[in-house]
Amino acid sequence: QVQLVQSGSELKKPGASMKVSCKASGYSFTSYAVNWVRQAPGQGLEWMGWINTNVGNSNYAQAFTGRSVFSLDTSVNTAYLQINNLKSEDTAVYYCARENQGSFDLWGRGTPVTVSS
Amino acid sequence: SYVLTQPPSVSVAPGKTARITCGGNNIGSKSVHWYQQKSGQAPVLVIFSAGDRPSGIPERFSGSNSGNTATLTISRVEAGDEADYYCHVWDLSSDHYVFGTGTKVTVL
């Protein structure tokens, strides 16, 4: 079955770090880039950036440069999103999505992250 | 940075046609994609490259793109079409993807 399975919800304190996983199955993982998308409560979709699953390079949206890090473990077909020094405004649902010729044709179910003291 | 503007809401009666616009500078030169997001769920691709449908998406969904406006059209609207809809493009100048502001479609 072609799918992206994300890790479960997270509750973190300000200043902590978090790492969300996105495991691909049913297709060739290294043939498609993985994108990350954030959705704050009651807000729209916000593109965070992508990681090239073949060579491992990344492209970050300006708002997510610095504290966000994309990484891979191709041995288990998994992409990761790490955010350091969490702030309350990082509270959101984080989605991974497969990029296919410019569109995002396959999405994970999302990982809710709450940052609160 | 490139901006995509959508109307916040569109209301439509069942069986009628809903049109959702996405405005952007010379968007007609870009490949536009559309996503449907129902409450509490992940987005789903409904239109790619302005007018193509992924398998499983009803023919009632169609798209067009010209000039400064792209449009998603939902014909014979059903209650199940009630959702938020987002347009999406790649901006070559910034080397970034951009989502539209989103439109909530309400079926009356």
Side-chain angles (χ1 to χ4, degrees):
Chain A
Q1 185 180 2
V2 178
Q3 60 182 352
L4 295 172
V5 178
Q6 296 188 225
S7 49
S9 59
E10 302 257 14
L11 175 59
K12 296 289 185 181
K13 294 188 182 303
S17 296
M18 68 148 197
K19 194 169 187 176
V20 173
S21 66
C22 171
K23 182 175 177 59
S25 61
Y27 71 93
S28 174
F29 178 65
T30 55
S31 295
Y32 302 86
V34 169
N35 284 251
W36 291 93
V37 177
R38 183 175 83 173
Q39 188 168 37
Q43 302 301 307
L45 303 176
E46 187 175 16
W47 180 73
M48 300 180 66
W50 54 252
I51 183 164
N52 182 316
T53 54
N54 192 28
V55 297
N57 62 304
S58 298
N59 180 8
Y60 296 89
Q62 190 165 5
F64 299 99
T65 299
R67 295 188 299 119
S68 303
V69 180
F70 306 148
S71 60
L72 301 170
D73 185 343
T74 55
S75 69
V76 290
N77 293 341
T78 301
Y80 301 93
L81 163 66
Q82 179 168 330
I83 302 180
N84 302 315
N85 189 21
L86 285 163
K87 307 175 187 301
S88 58
E89 51 264 40
D90 293 320
T91 294
V93 177
Y94 292 83
Y95 294 100
C96 61
R98 183 180 76 171
E99 177 187 326
N100 187 356
Q101 296 186 322
S103 68
F104 297 174
D105 69 340
L106 180 67
W107 294 67
R109 288 192 170 186
T111 296
V113 174
T114 302
V115 182
S116 174
S117 55
Chain B
S1 61
Y2 193 74
V3 176
L4 294 174
T5 302
Q6 299 180 233
S9 62
V10 167
S11 298
V12 58
K16 299 299 186 182
T17 298
R19 293 181 179 84
I20 304 159
T21 58
C22 175
N25 184 35
N26 198 25
I27 194 174
S29 68
K30 301 181 183 301
S31 188
V32 181
H33 319 293
W34 290 90
Y35 303 88
Q36 175 193 68
Q37 185 180 32
K38 295 183 178 180
S39 180
Q41 298 183 20
V44 172
L45 178 68
V46 293
I47 291 288
F48 64 96
S49 301
D52 294 327
R53 284 184 311 277
S55 61
I57 301 300
E59 291 183 6
R60 301 184 297 102
F61 288 82
S62 63
S64 62
N65 185 22
S66 178
N68 292 319
T69 305
T71 303
L72 173 68
T73 301
I74 311 173
S75 304
R76 303 180 299 283
V77 166
E78 302 174 355
D81 298 331
E82 192 161 279
D84 294 325
Y85 291 84
Y86 295 90
C87 55
H88 172 230
V89 302
W90 172 259
D91 178 37
L92 183 62
S93 62
S94 64
D95 197 25
H96 286 172
Y97 280 108
V98 180
F99 284 101
T101 49
T103 299
K104 181 175 182 60
V105 170
T106 300
V107 181
L108 301 170

